[in-house]
Amino acid sequence: QVQLVESGGGLVLAGGSLKLSCAASGRTLRTDAVAWFRQAPGKEREFVAAIGWRSDTDYAESVKGRFAISRDNAKNTVYLQMNTLKPEDTAIYYCAARSAAIRQVDGAYDYWGQGTQVTVSS
C-alpha cells in the first residue's frame, strides 16, 4: 500500500519560513515526479512546485524565488522549503507522485498525501 505523508505545516508570521516534508512508504520516489499542490478555502487546488527524477524542477509563478523543492532519495522524501511566506500562501498543502515527467495538472498524479495545513498570519 502506497502512502505519502506530509508534515511540517503550522502557523507562521508573514515573512517567516516553513519546511514541508513528504515521506513515502510502499513506493520508492526515486524514479517518480513529485509535486506539491495547495488548496485554500473556497478555491481550487493549484500547482505549487514539482521535482522530476533527474531533480529537474518547476514552480508556479507565485512562488518562484521564495520556495524551493528538493529530494532525498536515501530517505524517500521530498521537501518544500518555503521562505518569505505571505498570507496568500495559507492553504492545505498536498504532495503527489507519478511515475513519469513532472506536470502541473493535479489529475496527472496517481498518489496523494492527506495534506498539511499552512497558515500565514499578517
Side-chain angles (χ1 to χ4, degrees), residues 14 84 94 116:
T84 320
Y94 300 90
T116 186

Side-chain angles (χ1 to χ4, degrees), residues 7-113:
S7 62
L11 173 65
V12 64
L13 292 174
S17 298
L18 283 174
K19 186 174 184 178
L20 305 184
S21 299
C22 173
S25 61
R27 180 178 181 87
T28 177
L29 298 180
R30 182 183 301 272
T31 54
D32 278 355
V34 180
W36 288 93
F37 290 83
R38 66 187 181 186
Q39 188 166 22
K43 295 188 176 181
E44 292 187 354
R45 187 162 54 189
E46 65 175 0
F47 170 79
V48 176
I51 186 166
W53 68 273
R54 294 174 293 182
S55 294
D56 48 315
T57 58
D58 190 19
Y59 295 93
E61 286 296 327
S62 60
V63 307
K64 278 184 180 178
R66 300 189 298 122
F67 291 11
I69 190 170
S70 61
R71 64 193 310 152
D72 184 336
N73 290 333
K75 294 182 178 180
N76 211 25
T77 300
V78 170
Y79 303 98
L80 184 68
Q81 177 68 48
M82 306 187 296
N83 300 322
T84 320
L85 283 160
K86 304 175 181 180
E88 51 264 44
D89 294 317
T90 295
I92 299 174
Y93 283 70
Y94 300 90
C95 69
R98 70 191 297 261
S99 57
I102 57 179
R103 295 280 304 277
Q104 293 191 358
V105 179
D106 57 0
Y109 290 81
D110 301 307
Y111 305 99
W112 289 82

